[in-house]
Amino acid sequence: MKKYILTLISLVFIFQATNAQVDAFDDTNFNNSLDSWIINVEWGLGMPTGDFDQFLDGATSSRSFYIEVKKVLGNHFAIGGGVGWQGYNKKFDRNTYEFNNGALTTTVLNYMYLVPFRLTGNYYPLKNTKLQPYLGLSAGLYSTSRRTDLGLYEIEENHWNFGVSPEVGVNIPIGTAGWGVVAKYRYNYIIYNYLEFDNLSSMDFSVGILLTY
């Protein structure tokens, strides 16, 4: 967990340095301060870690969508919420699996589907800048659906679980039309104690469209 926190801090300093370079080469006086509302529509890449990574044998997910709406408070804060969907799957080669009462030779398919419902808060340290880096923290409920197919047999688990997600990102306004691009890194930790899992953890890298008004 400590290395993820250090990664978040490092990225913030990178964003600040990048913004300073932009100011140095462009003296145009834009005012890209935060508007009253921010809407993100994102696509992301998910990378499981820990027990989740073992369940998927290193498989990643490019099937990740998220929409978020936030209300701006002052010049540095925004709060809101969002909902998303993310799907993982992994097919294992045909093998023989031993059980207490015998053995089964088959292929194995593991699936995990996550639907987060999160409240979020963001802190924007800079004001009236061409790039708007931020730190964020989300928390809420995840609908988790895990399934394992072993030939004709199926193991399925459906639950609601609590999770938290620290993140770091940057808003990049384009012109003055109230839209732009958002890029972010998010670390997800879900309390999930079923079967062989102690938790569900993953890293998300996402990009999307930013709308402000």
Side-chain angles (χ1 to χ4, degrees):
M1 186 66 180
K2 184 181 296 183
K3 65 180 181 180
Y4 298 121
I5 295 174
L6 292 175
T7 300
L8 297 178
I9 295 173
S10 299
L11 288 173
V12 170
F13 282 112
I14 291 173
F15 290 144
Q16 290 178 324
T18 302
N19 187 76
Q21 291 296 320
V22 172
D23 287 341
F25 288 99
D26 185 359
D27 294 329
T28 305
N29 184 24
F30 289 109
N31 183 358
N32 288 324
S33 59
L34 300 177
D35 291 320
S36 296
W37 292 91
I38 302 174
I39 301 175
N40 298 345
V41 181
E42 307 165 17
W43 168 85
L45 175 68
M47 301 175 62
T49 62
D51 292 342
F52 195 15
D53 183 53
Q54 294 181 18
F55 176 71
L56 295 165
D57 192 29
T60 60
S61 171
S62 59
R63 299 180 296 160
S64 178
F65 304 94
Y66 193 67
I67 183 168
E68 186 176 69
V69 179
K70 292 171 288 191
K71 171 65 176 176
V72 177
L73 304 176
N75 294 314
H76 298 287
F77 294 93
I79 60 172
V83 61
W85 181 90
Q86 189 170 55
Y88 292 88
N89 67 276
K90 174 68 177 182
K91 181 178 181 180
F92 293 83
D93 293 336
R94 186 177 179 84
N95 204 345
T96 298
Y97 300 90
E98 297 184 356
F99 304 93
N100 292 334
N101 298 322
L104 179 65
T105 300
T106 183
T107 57
V108 172
L109 292 92
N110 284 341
Y111 302 87
M112 183 70 79
Y113 300 103
L114 307 174
V115 180
F117 296 87
R118 293 185 289 227
L119 298 176
T120 185
N122 291 349
Y123 169 66
Y124 298 83
L126 305 180
K127 179 183 177 182
N128 296 339
T129 59
K130 300 170 183 62
L131 298 179
Q132 298 168 352
Y134 70 87
L135 293 172
L137 180 65
S138 300
L141 293 178
Y142 287 74
S143 172
T144 59
S145 178
R146 171 257 172 96
R147 192 176 86 240
T148 297
D149 293 342
L150 303 94
L152 299 176
Y153 300 92
E154 180 180 290
I155 301 172
E156 187 170 1
E157 293 272 340
N158 298 294
H159 301 281
W160 285 93
N161 305 91
F162 179 78
V164 295
S165 301
E167 68 181 65
V168 60
V170 59
N171 294 343
I172 308 173
I174 297 177
T176 58
W179 70 283
V181 176
V182 59
K184 68 175 63 174
Y185 161 83
R186 179 189 292 119
Y187 177 75
N188 305 297
Y189 182 90
I190 306 172
I191 299 173
Y192 188 92
N193 303 116
Y194 307 102
L195 299 177
E196 73 271 34
F197 289 96
D198 288 330
N199 60 71
L200 285 180
S201 60
S202 63
M203 298 181 292
D204 294 342
F205 299 89
S206 63
V207 295
I209 301 299
L210 169 75
L211 303 175
T212 65
Y213 65 93

